[in-house]
Amino acid sequence: MKFYKWIVPVALVSCVSGIADAQDVAIKTNLLNWATTTPNIGVEFGLGRKSTIQLFGDINPWEFGDDKHFRSWTVQPEYRYWFCEKFGGHFVGVHALAGQYNAKGINFPLKSLIVSSSLKSAGEGEPDPASLEKGWPDLTNDLNGPNESGKLRHAEGWFAGFGVTYGYQWMLSKHWNLEASIGVGYVYSDLTLYGRCNTKIDTRKLHYVGPTKAALSIMYMF
């Protein structure tokens, strides 16, 4: 997978610079993503007294110990309606999300919420237990085994989906806000499982229903 590690920050910086002269513009970052070593940035700006639009992006380019990684990038636009007034109090919204990932030695933490999937063998790789079960492949199985088959497997794919959001913003000062939000929805993913010598083992189509976002964000208001 070609990993465009600069696509998210460049797109977001361009967006911010293009709307910097508008009223009620905020730049934010999600502290929960930073806790998972995922740099991220977002911008939110007002459309009217009770509505805003947000664009958020994150990227995880890191490699961990034992040749493990879950590299990914995500973009997530969102429309929000505020019950009282924008940038304060309760809000609901609708969001979309899309991105890519490359995982090795680490499983998708919410794989139990994949509600359905299909699998098609590529017929190129060696027989592998991971190809016998639908859903997210087990990338940690036999990680320390004699043939290290789990360590050699990796998954590459893309995803896209949508969901609904609920959140709340606290005004800390004239320029600083704190936000908590959560979202649930549907995500489709197209995944390819690779084995030894980068041979294709199978391709999978995954359908996920569950949490699509969780944020505790600090934001600066212009």
Side-chain angles (χ1 to χ4, degrees):
M1 179 185 72
K2 292 183 179 180
F3 194 75
Y4 302 102
K5 62 172 61 180
W6 301 112
I7 188 170
V8 173
V10 169
L12 288 171
V13 169
S14 299
C15 182
V16 172
S17 62
I19 63 172
D21 293 332
Q23 288 184 334
D24 297 325
V25 178
I27 294 179
K28 58 176 64 176
T29 190
N30 183 358
L31 303 179
L32 299 183
N33 276 11
W34 284 103
T36 62
T37 70
T38 305
N40 64 95
I41 188 172
V43 59
E44 184 175 5
F45 57 99
L47 296 177
R49 190 173 72 86
K50 290 189 174 185
S51 60
T52 60
I53 283 183
Q54 172 178 278
L55 177 63
F56 224 102
D58 63 58
I59 186 168
N60 192 321
W62 317 117
E63 178 112 5
F64 304 106
D66 298 324
D67 201 24
K68 298 179 182 178
H69 62 252
F70 202 112
R71 301 190 189 112
S72 65
W73 65 263
T74 307
V75 292
Q76 191 172 86
E78 180 172 281
Y79 169 80
R80 295 175 166 184
Y81 175 81
W82 299 78
F83 294 140
C84 183
E85 191 172 3
K86 63 180 180 288
F87 297 114
H90 300 275
F91 65 86
V92 293
V94 290
H95 63 268
L97 66 158
Q100 290 178 289
Y101 56 85
N102 183 320
K104 187 175 184 181
I106 298 176
N107 287 324
F108 174 50
L110 299 177
K111 64 179 184 176
S112 62
L113 297 179
I114 295 173
V115 295
S116 68
S117 64
S118 61
L119 181 152
K120 182 178 180 181
S121 177
E124 298 179 12
E126 70 279 5
D128 193 301
S131 64
L132 301 179
E133 296 183 6
K134 296 180 181 179
W136 182 269
D138 187 357
L139 302 179
T140 62
N141 185 42
D142 293 331
L143 189 61
N144 298 312
N147 59 6
E148 296 186 324
S149 61
K151 190 172 183 180
L152 292 168
R153 285 195 301 265
H154 75 279
E156 295 184 10
W158 62 269
F159 62 91
F162 58 88
V164 295
T165 309
Y166 166 75
Y168 192 93
Q169 275 189 26
W170 294 267
M171 298 182 214
L172 303 180
S173 67
K174 180 180 178 180
H175 290 290
W176 292 97
N177 277 16
L178 180 68
E179 175 193 305
S181 63
I182 190 168
V184 295
Y186 163 82
V187 178
Y188 168 81
S189 179
D190 197 300
L191 175 153
T192 301
L193 179 65
Y194 294 91
R196 187 183 300 275
C197 300
N198 214 35
T199 53
K200 235 185 237 189
I201 297 176
D202 60 53
T203 58
R204 300 167 186 236
K205 301 182 186 302
L206 310 177
H207 303 270
Y208 163 92
V209 176
T212 47
K213 64 174 293 182
L216 180 63
S217 300
I218 188 74
M219 51 195 293
Y220 181 82
M221 309 285 299
F222 289 95

